[in-house]
Amino acid sequence: MSSPSPSVMSKQSSKKWRLWPSSLAARTGLLLIVGIGLVEACGLMIHTLDRLDFDRITQEQEAANRATAIYRDISEVDSVDRIDEINDLDPMHGFTIFLSNQPDLQKITPRSQKLEQTVSHLLTTVLFPPELRPKEIIAASDRDTHRSAIAFQLPDDNKWLNISYTLSSPNPFTSATFPIAFFVMATATGLLTFWGVRRLIAPVGTLAAAAERLGQDVNAPPLPETGPLEVARAARAFNNMAHRINRFVNDRTQLLLAIGHDLRTPITRLKLRSEFIDDPKLQKKFIADLDELESMIKATLDFGKDSTRHEPIVSLNLTKLLQTLIHELQETHPDKKDNIFLCEPTPHITTKARPISLKRALQNLMENALHYAGNVSVTLKIEQLPIAKDPHHDRRIIILIEDNGPGISEEALDHVFEPFVRMETSRNRATGGTGLGLSITRNIIHGQGGDITLSNRHPNGLCAKVTLIA
């Protein structure tokens, strides 16, 4: 028999843990509520058992008192009138009283010395004439059936007064305070647990929000280093990490900008000296190489400047931005106007973004598609996440930029995002470009908190999928 595939096992695992909450606050609250609920249940069980024991002892004591009172009433009456007295008695529910020549315990076993001592003690402590006290007392009790029987030997005619009774099972739930107390305890525990967990988990949410801001902007403000010792320590460590990342990025960018800037001077000198080359073909090739080198340095400077841009994040109408880009692209390429379009229906979407940077990234993707394939189609839509890890981010924005070109190899789909990588087919140096366009685009998209992926279309074409936080 073949073993289940990993996909089937993952589906079974997801179904198994479907009721398990995804957030740390919900998990902590659930564990605390379940744990406290178990403690409460154990406490209530202990209280119930104590209450049952107390009620049982109380019932046994009341039954013994009642049996003693019945014996007193019967013993004080003349022997000829005792049967009538028994018939006139109004005993408690479950009591059976009769006279016999021999003790009759109604086949109740075992014999109970404790009950005999209790009844004997009651007869000696109350104001009862000694001459009316029984000659002998025999008692039996069965705790499983809650049945008991007491036989008193009367002092004057040697007959036995037999009293048997059945006690009702104690029930603590008959008390009106029991369900009220349980409800109040459960409600108070749940509310206090919910409030306490939210207070304890709040710093984790703050730390997650700060990490998300740092992913979009390395110059994000630091976290306040306040609160409990562990929280303040985590905030301090996070601020130190953010400071080191900021310093590393700035140092690397400044080095890149400095190298690119310093290379411009020798390139200019080489261009001037190339004018003195006598061979026109050699001169043309020499100047072409210098122009390409200058273009690469310009793209490198743009790449570095993009990393240090401090454009604020504002509310942006993404629908209007795409419509503007399509319109500008159609004006720039009137001969390909019919091959440039925004797919309908177009939803009205507003998001938080850096408008200039995002426009540059999307424009770069559209121009690449138009340049290499001669057509471009843009699709804008909202995607609802099936299981949201973060309740504040349960949706995402999808922008699809597609063309009908030759596409690229599957092995190079991720490789093309690396700096200075150019494909050797239709997307090569001869068609223009320095290999930094997609790197800059990906940096911009990542700076917006989103992501970008490339995939080949069937039967041909390429699809650039941009994902942004809604």
Side-chain angles (χ1 to χ4, degrees), residues 299-413:
T300 302
L301 292 176
D302 291 339
F303 182 76
K305 290 178 181 178
D306 180 76
S307 300
T308 58
R309 181 169 302 193
H310 302 288
E311 183 185 359
I313 298 178
V314 298
S315 181
L316 174 65
N317 190 321
L318 194 56
T319 306
K320 290 186 177 180
L321 175 63
L322 291 177
Q323 291 173 346
T324 300
L325 286 173
I326 292 293
H327 182 69
E328 291 178 353
L329 205 59
Q330 289 175 344
E331 287 185 342
T332 307
H333 304 276
D335 55 326
K336 302 177 181 178
K337 182 177 181 180
D338 295 337
N339 296 328
I340 305 170
F341 57 90
L342 181 64
C343 296
E344 300 290 343
T346 306
H348 181 79
I349 299 176
T350 302
T351 185
K352 297 288 186 179
R354 296 182 176 90
I356 298 177
S357 300
L358 184 59
K359 180 180 179 181
R360 177 185 177 187
L362 296 176
Q363 187 177 31
N364 186 21
L365 293 173
M366 294 181 188
E367 289 180 348
N368 279 350
L370 190 63
H371 182 76
Y372 297 115
N375 62 84
V376 58
S377 64
V378 181
T379 304
L380 175 64
K381 60 182 180 179
I382 285 285
E383 185 177 272
Q384 193 76 27
L385 298 180
I387 301 177
K389 294 293 184 182
D390 186 353
H392 301 289
H393 298 150
D394 58 348
R395 302 187 307 161
R396 57 185 179 183
I397 302 170
I398 303 297
I399 304 174
L400 301 178
I401 301 175
E402 301 171 304
D403 61 52
N404 296 326
I408 58 179
S409 62
E410 295 291 334
E411 296 79 10
L413 288 176

Side-chain angles (χ1 to χ4, degrees), residues 31 38 146 149 169 207 321 323 350 468:
L31 289 176
L38 291 175
H146 307 292
S169 299
L207 187 63
L321 175 63
Q323 291 173 346
T350 302
L468 300 174

Side-chain angles (χ1 to χ4, degrees), residues 143-175:
R143 296 186 65 87
D144 294 334
T145 60
H146 307 292
R147 297 177 62 206
S148 299
I150 308 173
F152 299 90
Q153 187 178 21
L154 297 169
D156 51 358
D157 59 0
N158 294 325
K159 286 192 176 183
W160 291 81
L161 175 64
N162 301 286
I163 303 174
S164 62
Y165 54 87
T166 302
L167 300 178
S168 60
S169 299
N171 184 8
F173 300 101
T174 56
S175 174

Side-chain angles (χ1 to χ4, degrees), residues 23-98:
S23 67
L24 179 61
R27 291 182 179 181
T28 306
L30 179 61
L31 289 176
L32 286 177
I33 290 175
V34 170
I36 296 175
L38 291 175
V39 173
E40 286 187 1
C42 293
L44 289 173
M45 184 179 297
I46 295 173
H47 170 74
T48 301
L49 294 176
D50 290 342
R51 178 69 180 270
L52 290 175
D53 289 339
F54 176 77
D55 289 348
R56 187 178 295 109
I57 294 173
T58 302
Q59 286 183 354
E60 291 175 352
Q61 186 67 35
E62 289 179 355
N65 291 338
R66 181 60 177 165
T68 304
I70 292 173
Y71 171 78
R72 179 174 181 176
D73 291 340
I74 299 301
S75 64
E76 291 177 346
V77 179
D78 293 336
S79 59
V80 295
D81 298 328
R82 284 172 179 168
I83 295 178
D84 294 334
E85 181 68 19
I86 291 174
N87 293 331
D88 293 338
L89 287 176
D90 184 19
M92 295 174 59
H93 177 72
F95 271 68
T96 302
I97 308 169
F98 61 94

Side-chain angles (χ1 to χ4, degrees), residues 201-217 220-221 223 238 390 392-393:
I201 302 300
V204 179
T206 303
L207 187 63
E212 187 174 352
R213 287 196 304 269
L214 181 64
Q216 298 179 4
D217 183 10
L223 278 174
F238 180 86
D390 186 353
H392 301 289
H393 298 150

